Amino acid sequence: MTSTPSITPMGASDPAAPFIRDTVRWLEKAVIGLNLCPFAKGVHVKGQIHYVVALTEDTDAVLSLLRDELLALQSIPTEVRDTTLLVLPHCLQDFLDFNEFLGDAEGLLDALGLDGTLQIASFHPQFQFAGTDVDDVTNCTNRAPYPTLHLLREDSIDRAVEVFPEAEAIFERNMEVLEGLGMEGWLALDVGAHAPAPGAASAEGGNAR
C-alpha cells in the first residue's frame, strides 16, 4: 500500500489511521474476499491504491479535497497510483445527502475537464437499491464502512474489461453471492466501522495515506 503523509504524518496517533484500517479490512475481506470486484486484487497487491481520509464535516472542504485528489490522480503515473479511495467518516452520513452530493462531485469532474479521463464511483454504509428493503443483503455490494468516493481511471477500467470480457455479468454474480451469504453471513465478515463514532471531527482537517 502506498503511504503519502499529508498535513500530519501517519503513525499510531494519526486520527486517519483507524478509518484506513477499517477500509482496508472491508476491501480485503468483502470486495476481494468475495470477489465482488475482480479488478481490485491486482491494484491492492501492487500497492497502487491511495487512501485519503477527510476529517471534516464540511462538504465544501470535501469538494476541495476531492479536487486535489482528482488532479493528483491524473498527474501521477498509473503504476504508482492507479486509483484513490476518499473516505468520509464524519460527513454525509445520511445516504440521501450523500447521493445529492454526488451531483456536486460529478459537476466538479466536468468543470476540471476530466470527464472521460477519470470516473467517480461511490459506496455508503446505508446504500440501498431502489425497490429494496433496507436489510436486503444485496445492498451490501455497495456498502462500505464509511461514505467513500472511489476515483478511477477510465483507461484502467478499459484494460480491466479487456481482461474480463464478461464484466457486465459481475453485477448479477455479486447479487447471487450476497444472497447465498445472507445478512448473517455478511455481518460475520465484520467489515463495518470499528473506529470511534463521529464527534471529534476537525472542521478543516484532512489526512491522506
Side-chain angles (χ1 to χ4, degrees), residues 119-204:
Q119 186 180 118
I120 302 175
S122 61
F123 300 91
H124 195 279
Q126 298 174 0
F127 180 88
Q128 185 174 353
F129 288 112
T132 66
D133 295 330
V134 67
D135 58 353
D136 189 322
V137 70
T138 60
N139 291 319
C140 295
T141 60
N142 289 59
R143 288 183 178 176
Y146 309 99
T148 300
L149 301 176
H150 185 193
L151 317 186
L152 307 101
R153 301 174 187 266
E154 292 280 2
D155 287 347
S156 295
I157 295 173
D158 292 341
R159 286 195 299 271
V161 170
E162 289 178 4
V163 175
F164 195 89
E166 297 182 354
E168 67 279 0
I170 294 174
F171 176 80
E172 294 180 2
R173 177 199 170 277
N174 288 349
M175 297 296 104
E176 294 174 357
V177 169
L178 268 295
E179 288 171 350
L181 187 67
M183 185 57 76
E184 184 176 348
W186 173 263
L187 294 176
L189 291 176
D190 192 27
V191 292
H194 291 73
S202 166
E204 301 178 359

Side-chain angles (χ1 to χ4, degrees), residues 4 6 50-54 62-76 81 83-87 108-109 112 114 118 149 151-153 206-209:
T4 309
S6 173
H50 182 61
Y51 296 90
V52 183
V53 177
V62 172
L63 273 178
S64 178
L65 183 57
L66 175 61
R67 178 184 183 278
D68 293 344
E69 292 302 325
L70 286 168
L71 293 174
L73 184 60
Q74 179 200 27
S75 64
I76 295 173
R81 182 182 304 179
T83 191
T84 297
L85 290 174
L86 174 52
V87 183
L108 174 62
L109 187 70
L112 292 173
L114 295 176
L118 301 180
L149 301 176
L151 317 186
L152 307 101
R153 301 174 187 266
N207 293 277
R209 178 178 178 182

Side-chain angles (χ1 to χ4, degrees), residues 20-48:
I20 294 174
R21 283 196 296 269
D22 285 350
T23 301
V24 172
R25 182 189 301 110
W26 161 74
L27 177 72
E28 293 179 337
K29 297 183 68 174
V31 179
I32 296 175
L34 298 178
N35 199 29
L36 299 180
C37 177
F39 321 127
K41 184 176 181 178
V43 292
H44 175 59
V45 170
K46 294 176 184 177
Q48 295 171 334

